[in-house]
Amino acid sequence: MNRSEMLAALESTREPWDVIVVGGGATGLGVAVDAAVRGYRTLLLEQDDFAKGTSSRSTKLVHGGVRYLQQGNVALVLEALRERGLLIRNAPHLVRNLGFVVPHYDWWEGPFYGIGLKVYDVLAGKLGLGPSRHLSREETLERLPTIEPEGLRGGVIYYDGQFDDARLAISLARTAARGGATLLNYARVSGLLKNGHGLVAGVRVEELEGGRELEVRARVVVNATGVFTDALLRMDSPDARAIIEPSQGIHIVLDPSFHPGESAIMVPHTDDGRVLFAVPWHGRVIVGTTDTAVEHAELEPRALDEEVDFLLSHAARYLAHDPTRADVLSVFAGLRPLVKPADSRETASIARDHTLLTSASGLVTITGGKWTTYRKMAQDTVDQAIVVGGLEPRACETDTLALHGYIGEAPSSRHPRSMYGSDEAALDSLEHERPELAAPLHEKLPYRLSEVVWAVRHEMARTLEDVLSRRTRSLLLDARAAAQAAPAVVALMATELGRDEAWQRAQLAAFERLAAAYRLEWRQTPRS
């Protein structure tokens, strides 16, 4: 997957595309995969990098949604559990089974949550990952050695999926490319083209690296821009009603000493009515999340002080060692593209169903939903695009489609490198040819220099942030270590991309500003 080749394919195409997808997050990439595999000529355009926004900032879970079951949304839970099972089957190198323990401190919590999770098991059916069961106090402490022991009565364990969201996004991009799609990051749609009848007939796109503007025509255009959905709807019709109510969720990342067990902790009810997780991931512990209504969508949202305090205070209730701001290795924020409710602004109560609509102009918009159901969202969207664009009907094939990197079974290792699947052997070969690339990015990060070269050559990484935030997850795992690794990484990228020293300096300055926010340094308070 080479950006120069993708750009050349775009510029050389004279006939209208069948489908243009605007947005390179989970939903847009899923649509591109589905459309390409069905045989439609597909183009995807992303204004920044693939999964730059919401799609790289999740809790890293592929799940049916226990909270949605509590809300009574059985249909959503059924759909999500089925999709969870399909994703684990089609991408075992990226998604794995993880045990979740619900600790209980009151006598009624054990039977109450135990019954609910048995219903969860039943709904999963043959695609279930393992039966839930009660744990004694001793078993709970064995699985959660740093859980608050005072008053602990026991727990309930159930099973869900875990993944690396940005790596799955890259796998989808490469799967779409394998199916014949053309994908271009750093290509911002600046307007919609319309025919004489006022119907959408293509897009106007700014190719940001070259500074050129192109007009690209298509039989149907899909708006899959997530939290930026309303901006594209307004390009179509300036008086379009806003349908997105962004909700911010943040996560803090801690050292594994705070939770060294292999099972995740699930707290079913926080002060604001959300579910709280403490999840082991890539040798760290992710704690989240929050639910804060925000006015405007941003590409790089920042955690609020009160959100950080909320997570730290709730973590302190359940962990024997109370974390402080000084213990936070990284904090990241993401925005959920929630479809506006008719009569409520309580975003924690809004289910993550997806919404599919077609404007009078023929613009197809898909929004809402969550990572777990990306494939079904894409299937519904392409089915609608076929009708709108007058495309030859073809059946969806993605329910059995092995994603890029597929190796047939779950890897034995849980090291982040296993996420490459079948590409891991090529990385090993690269290090054999150039032994210096086997060196680690940083002593506190689980990545090697070979992954930088691979990201540039095969995964369309264009910036230092692309490599350190999404191709590797260095920025999320340890923001300080990522900043310290940056000079060596950017020098290697410059060689691969043919960039000069001025580019390197600009990249380092931009990344340092970004990493400072992930380190909480702009508002750090002293340890009490």
Side-chain angles (χ1 to χ4, degrees):
M1 194 170 71
N2 179 282
R3 191 178 188 278
S4 296
E5 294 175 359
M6 293 290 185
L7 180 58
L10 170 60
E11 293 178 325
S12 63
T13 299
R14 296 292 177 261
E15 294 297 315
W17 298 84
D18 291 328
V19 181
I20 290 180
V21 183
V22 185
T27 306
L29 290 166
V31 172
V33 169
D34 190 304
V37 169
R38 294 200 208 196
Y40 302 123
R41 297 174 60 254
T42 304
L43 170 67
L44 180 143
L45 301 167
E46 163 56 42
Q47 65 172 331
D48 199 275
D49 185 34
F50 305 119
K52 158 68 178 181
T54 304
S55 297
S56 62
R57 302 160 188 267
S58 73
T59 315
K60 322 306 179 194
L61 303 181
V62 177
H63 62 115
V66 173
R67 180 164 61 88
Y68 311 138
L69 185 61
Q70 185 180 4
Q71 293 172 355
N73 195 338
V74 176
L76 177 61
V77 175
L78 279 169
E79 178 178 275
L81 286 172
R82 179 176 186 273
E83 292 302 317
R84 180 193 69 178
L86 294 179
L87 188 50
I88 289 179
R89 187 176 69 190
N90 295 335
H93 58 300
L94 289 164
V95 186
R96 70 179 182 92
N97 191 349
L98 181 67
F100 290 75
V101 175
V102 184
H104 57 86
Y105 293 84
D106 291 314
W107 67 268
W108 57 268
E109 290 180 317
F112 180 80
Y113 295 121
I115 292 171
L117 290 170
K118 282 300 179 186
V119 174
Y120 197 61
D121 294 344
V122 170
L123 293 177
K126 294 181 179 179
L127 292 176
L129 304 181
S132 61
R133 66 181 182 89
H134 288 280
L135 300 175
S136 67
R137 185 179 188 276
E138 291 70 26
E139 289 175 311
T140 302
L141 287 170
E142 183 178 351
R143 287 183 174 272
L144 309 177
T146 54
I147 196 73
E148 177 58 63
E150 185 175 350
L152 180 68
R153 292 173 177 266
V156 179
I157 186 170
Y158 72 99
Y159 297 90
D160 248 325
Q162 183 183 52
F163 76 137
D164 186 317
D165 46 13
R167 290 304 314 172
L168 178 54
I170 293 302
S171 177
L172 289 174
R174 298 199 68 181
T175 304
R178 182 183 72 196
T182 296
L183 306 95
L184 202 65
N185 51 358
Y186 298 100
R188 181 171 58 221
V189 170
S190 57
L192 297 175
L193 306 178
K194 296 189 176 181
N195 62 21
H197 302 287
L199 301 178
V200 173
V203 300
R204 188 174 298 107
V205 57
E206 297 176 42
E207 195 283 293
L208 298 178
E209 284 197 3
R212 290 164 292 178
E213 186 168 89
L214 306 170
E215 290 190 350
V216 189
R217 300 196 171 270
R219 297 175 69 177
V220 62
V221 174
V222 174
N223 176 7
T225 53
V227 293
F228 300 103
T229 294
D230 289 334
L232 200 63
L233 288 174
R234 284 192 292 270
M235 288 183 191
D236 179 40
S237 175
D239 59 352
R241 180 183 71 86
I243 66 171
I244 296 298
E245 185 165 317
S247 167
Q248 177 162 291
I250 79 157
H251 298 79
I252 58 175
V253 181
L254 302 172
D255 183 88
S257 62
F258 285 94
H259 175 48
E262 293 188 358
S263 298
I265 301 172
M266 194 276 267
V267 177
H269 193 78
T270 62
D271 291 346
D272 69 346
R274 285 196 60 78
V275 171
L276 184 77
F277 293 99
V279 183
W281 186 71
H282 291 348
R284 305 290 192 271
V285 179
I286 293 179
V287 179
T289 181
T290 58
D291 200 311
T292 306
V294 296
E295 292 295 325
H296 305 290
E298 299 180 13
L299 263 176
E300 191 59 57
R302 289 191 174 187
L304 304 175
D305 279 329
E306 53 266 34
E307 291 179 298
V308 175
D309 292 340
F310 175 88
L311 292 184
L312 288 172
S313 65
H314 276 75
R317 295 181 192 178
Y318 291 91
L319 298 177
H321 177 43
D322 298 351
T324 69
R325 284 173 174 261
D327 297 310
V328 175
L329 298 175
S330 185
V331 57
F332 60 96
L335 300 179
R336 305 178 188 91
L338 305 184
V339 178
K340 281 191 174 184
D343 57 0
S344 173
R345 285 189 58 83
E346 295 180 2
T347 59
S349 68
I350 305 173
R352 273 44 171 176
D353 303 74
H354 62 270
T355 295
L356 178 63
L357 58 91
T358 302
S359 303
S361 64
L363 176 67
V364 176
T365 295
I366 177 67
T367 191
K370 56 180 182 171
W371 249 118
T372 306
T373 56
Y374 88 89
R375 190 209 66 82
K376 183 60 166 61
M377 294 169 65
Q379 178 180 344
D380 293 348
T381 303
V382 177
D383 285 346
Q384 181 71 2
I386 290 170
V387 176
V388 173
L391 305 176
E392 177 186 343
R394 296 167 186 162
C396 176
E397 301 177 10
T398 56
D399 57 344
T400 58
L401 179 69
L403 299 185
H404 179 85
Y406 178 82
I407 53 176
E409 59 184 5
S412 57
S413 170
R414 292 186 175 179
H415 192 278
R417 195 175 177 95
S418 67
M419 297 283 174
Y420 287 90
S422 60
D423 285 336
E424 189 173 1
L427 281 165
D428 293 340
S429 296
L430 184 59
E431 291 175 3
H432 181 74
E433 295 167 10
R434 296 176 57 184
E436 71 275 13
L437 295 181
L441 264 62
H442 189 279
E443 62 181 359
K444 294 182 178 180
L445 296 172
Y447 305 106
R448 304 178 197 168
L449 292 176
S450 60
E451 293 169 74
V452 178
V453 174
W454 184 265
V456 174
R457 291 183 181 178
H458 303 290
E459 298 177 347
M460 292 173 64
R462 312 300 291 177
T463 71
L464 187 53
E465 180 192 338
D466 294 349
V467 170
L468 289 176
S469 182
R470 289 174 292 278
R471 304 308 185 275
T472 73
R473 313 315 306 275
S474 303
L475 181 61
L476 274 62
L477 296 181
D478 192 323
R480 186 177 299 278
Q484 292 170 352
V489 172
V490 80
L492 194 54
M493 291 185 69
T495 299
E496 290 292 320
L497 291 169
R499 307 297 193 197
D500 59 18
E501 290 188 5
W503 179 85
Q504 294 184 57
R505 289 193 296 270
Q507 287 289 308
L508 285 170
F511 188 76
E512 174 53 36
R513 289 192 297 271
L514 179 67
Y518 281 63
R519 294 194 298 261
L520 295 178
E521 288 185 358
W522 84 97
R523 56 184 173 203
Q524 187 70 274
T525 56
R527 181 192 291 264
S528 58

